Amino acid sequence: MKEKVLKELYEKRGEYVSGEDLKEKFKVSRTAIWKHMNSLKKEGYMIETTQKKGYKLIESDGKLIPEALKNDLSTKEIGSRIIYFDTIDSTNNYSKRIAKDTPHGTIIISEEQSGGRGRLGRNWISPKGEGIWMSILLKPEIPPTEGMKMTQIAAAAACQAIRDVTALEAYIKWPNDIVVHGKKVCGILTEMAGELNQIDYLIVGIGINANNLSFPKEFKDVATSLAIEKGEKVDRKTLILDLLSKFEALYCHYIMEGKLDETLSIIRNYSAVLGKSVRIIKGNQECYAIVEEINDEGCLKVRYEDGEEELLISGEVSIRGKEGY
Ligand code: BTX
């Protein structure tokens, strides 16, 4: 019901809708309408209320509210349901809390994360209204060993979307970062739950620094935003819509036809590390290697300085340029 009320307000945004009309339309009491309004306000919607005229949704002000996204979303599964917050600890954490009873394809977006997370317990700064902080909940019938491919699919979709929407030269730093001019603009955190042979659910968390204008001192050398690199603000809605449609296409290609070729071609074409000398960090250990190949499973084949080769499978390692980030 709350969603229906919001839809009505969104369709008539900028105008007042009377409580009486809403009551008639949805066959509920005025108190129920009032409660839904309060709950929407708590979620961050700006709703003006006057006793005489009723309720008015103030222009969404560039916010990523579901109604604004849904109208232009071209996907079938991904984004079939959109959950939106003004602020939340972490969209990945929230997705985990609701995963069991929430359908495949749901996306969770927040204007701000108070406890945004990166890999291996690192934090991810997510200031209000500046970036895209979003999780995609997936329930594919695949074994956990295939889960890492979702990171590759998301990285390919995000990199290609950033290129197409902003014309910036974005590259993928295997396995989960997108960089522009050598600094991170996007990070991906894939988490899953399941049995040995079958995933229960997968959460693909995507953080994109869209319009941040500054970063805390400690991140200045590693982080940047699309707006900083482009010199103008980026429309977050356009970027999300493009990213989701690319993600769905690559995801379905893989899940339905077993094909990862399009993803691989993007992550190879736009790799920031392929053919390069890199520093590989595993826990406290650091060593140098050349990246020789991204194989057909999306794994990274590296050759160390002593000639030893290794296939890096997942995100337990960090990779840096030989000098600096
Ligand atoms: P990561 O472990 O590869 O990167 C985390 C590191 O990146 C941090 O230690 C810090 O150095 C740096 N960092 C922190 N915040 C930022 C930022 N905003 N931009 C650039 N660098 C930063 C990357 O992990 C995975 C990040 C996923 C974030 C999404 S947002 C939606 C979802 N919810 C959630 O809690 N996480 C994901």
Side-chain angles (χ1 to χ4, degrees):
M1 174 54 63
K2 189 169 75 183
E3 276 159 13
K4 285 188 189 160
V5 171
L6 179 57
K7 189 163 180 276
E8 186 74 10
L9 285 183
Y10 183 74
E11 277 165 5
K12 301 201 169 115
R13 59 195 181 279
E15 289 171 34
Y16 280 99
V17 184
S18 79
E20 195 56 31
D21 287 353
L22 291 169
K23 177 187 143 193
E24 287 301 311
K25 179 152 191 176
F26 297 120
K27 306 271 178 270
V28 290
S29 68
R30 281 189 80 146
T31 318
I33 297 287
W34 179 78
K35 280 189 183 155
H36 289 312
M37 293 298 169
N38 279 350
S39 143
L40 287 168
K41 282 184 198 167
K42 275 195 194 129
E43 285 172 29
Y45 292 98
M46 286 171 57
I47 298 169
E48 210 171 84
T49 312
T50 67
Q51 253 189 349
K52 277 196 188 144
K53 296 183 188 162
Y55 306 95
K56 176 166 83 174
L57 181 69
I58 311 289
E59 257 314 317
S60 53
D61 203 16
K63 287 192 172 192
L64 298 170
I65 63 172
E67 287 62 33
L69 293 174
K70 266 183 207 156
N71 281 347
D72 299 312
L73 200 58
S74 60
T75 51
K76 289 201 181 84
E77 316 175 9
I78 308 296
S80 49
R81 188 166 167 211
I82 302 175
I83 301 176
Y84 170 82
F85 293 96
D86 192 47
T87 184
I88 190 97
D89 53 346
S90 142
T91 55
N92 268 35
N93 289 357
Y94 182 80
S95 306
K96 275 189 206 166
R97 298 199 282 270
I98 60 158
K100 200 165 150 267
D101 304 314
T102 304
H104 163 80
T106 299
I107 62 173
I108 296 93
I109 300 180
S110 185
E111 295 290 343
E112 172 187 58
Q113 296 185 115
S114 54
R117 292 189 292 109
R119 294 178 306 155
L120 309 170
R122 298 176 194 136
N123 67 342
W124 182 262
I125 52 160
S126 321
K128 193 172 231 165
E130 296 185 6
I132 294 171
W133 325 124
M134 165 174 89
S135 299
I136 308 174
L137 177 63
L138 302 167
K139 298 189 170 174
E141 287 186 10
I142 55 170
T145 44
E146 301 289 283
M148 183 245 172
K149 294 196 174 105
M150 298 301 136
T151 306
Q152 304 292 304
I153 289 171
C159 184
Q160 191 68 65
I162 289 171
R163 285 180 160 253
D164 291 352
V165 172
T166 67
L168 286 167
E169 293 197 350
Y171 291 94
I172 300 166
K173 195 165 73 63
W174 190 95
N176 71 318
D177 289 335
I178 313 290
V179 295
V180 172
H181 300 140
K183 290 185 183 180
K184 200 179 327 194
V185 291
C186 166
I188 295 157
L189 174 66
T190 303
E191 298 181 286
M192 60 183 136
E195 312 281 317
L196 265 179
N197 297 322
Q198 171 61 47
I199 282 172
D200 286 341
Y201 62 81
L202 245 155
I203 295 161
V204 180
I206 304 176
I208 303 181
N209 301 326
N211 291 322
N212 317 45
L213 291 179
S214 62
F215 288 89
K217 222 173 34 218
E218 66 270 30
F219 298 143
K220 272 200 175 133
D221 294 339
V222 298
T224 189
S225 74
L226 301 176
I228 292 174
E229 297 308 317
K230 196 168 163 55
E232 65 186 59
K233 264 189 134 183
V234 170
D235 183 36
R236 293 185 304 161
K237 178 180 153 186
T238 309
L239 185 54
I240 291 193
L241 294 175
D242 198 60
L243 194 166
L244 291 178
S245 106
K246 290 185 160 95
F247 181 87
E248 180 167 284
L250 295 173
Y251 174 82
C252 289
H253 192 54
Y254 173 63
I255 293 294
M256 288 172 186
E257 297 164 52
K259 290 187 178 158
L260 200 63
D261 53 330
E262 287 174 20
T263 296
L264 286 170
S265 128
I266 297 171
I267 63 175
R268 286 172 183 149
N269 278 346
Y270 300 136
S271 172
V273 296
L274 198 55
K276 305 249 169 72
S277 273
V278 294
R279 243 179 336 135
I280 296 178
I281 305 162
K282 290 185 195 171
N284 296 332
Q285 283 186 332
E286 272 195 34
C287 37
Y288 291 101
I290 302 251
V291 177
E292 294 195 320
E293 190 191 329
I294 295 173
N295 76 6
D296 289 347
E297 299 295 305
C299 304
L300 205 68
K301 195 167 139 204
V302 298
R303 187 160 42 81
Y304 294 102
E305 288 178 320
D306 62 5
E308 279 283 306
E309 287 192 340
E310 190 180 4
L311 202 55
L312 303 177
I313 291 168
S314 85
E316 293 299 303
V317 294
S318 292
I319 295 188
R320 304 273 187 271
K322 210 161 180 180
E323 278 139 34
Y325 185 72

